[in-house]
Amino acid sequence: MVVGGSVGSFKMAWILWNQLHSRRLAVGASRGTSIGSRIASFALTVFLMTWFAMGNYWILSIMWPDYTPTLYEPNKWCHRTLYVFSLIHLSIMYIVITSFVLLIAALAGCQLFGCSWLGPTAYK
């Protein structure tokens, strides 16, 4: 969680800095982002997605571990509060991701089929 949070915070700070930097440029001198910046941003995104997938695998593969250290395997245990917290965190993340995907699908469907509460339709 520490590594993912640190890298995620760095990526968010970088995105905010790029937004502030692009707003300060003169109107006539529109300059796009560099190739190196795009590659680094893509690499950070891939790292965060991989880290999330590996964390899912690691947490879910040890379903309900031993909560106390044993005599012969003292390193093969996990504190109960930490494990339950990680399961709840994963559940919340999946709920948020699913809600976001369903919201995007509903808005896209309303835009395509012309829901009246979305305002005037642009694609008819």
Side-chain angles (χ1 to χ4, degrees):
M1 289 183 158
V2 173
V3 173
S6 300
V7 174
S9 297
F10 177 73
K11 182 165 174 55
M12 291 305 295
W14 189 359
I15 290 172
L16 288 173
W17 183 81
N18 281 338
Q19 285 293 321
L20 289 173
H21 182 68
S22 69
R23 290 179 188 267
R24 288 185 183 158
L25 292 175
V27 175
S30 63
R31 202 178 80 190
T33 58
S34 67
I35 297 294
S37 176
R38 289 181 189 177
I39 290 173
S41 179
F42 179 75
L44 279 173
T45 302
V46 168
F47 174 78
L48 286 171
M49 290 172 57
T50 305
W51 192 263
F52 183 69
M54 294 297 289
N56 284 320
Y57 174 74
W58 183 63
I59 290 170
L60 298 175
S61 68
I62 58 168
M63 188 58 87
W64 304 114
D66 294 330
Y67 295 127
T68 57
T70 59
L71 181 62
Y72 296 109
E73 292 180 335
N75 293 328
K76 193 176 179 183
W77 69 284
C78 184
H79 195 273
R80 186 180 198 291
T81 307
L82 178 65
Y83 188 73
V84 170
F85 174 77
S86 64
L87 285 178
I88 291 172
H89 181 265
L90 275 181
S91 300
I92 290 172
M93 288 301 297
Y94 279 121
I95 289 170
V96 167
I97 290 170
T98 303
S99 300
F100 185 71
V101 168
L102 289 175
L103 177 69
I104 294 296
L107 289 176
C110 282
Q111 185 68 31
L112 289 175
F113 298 120
C115 294
S116 61
W117 53 272
L118 260 183
T121 58
Y123 303 108
K124 272 201 171 185

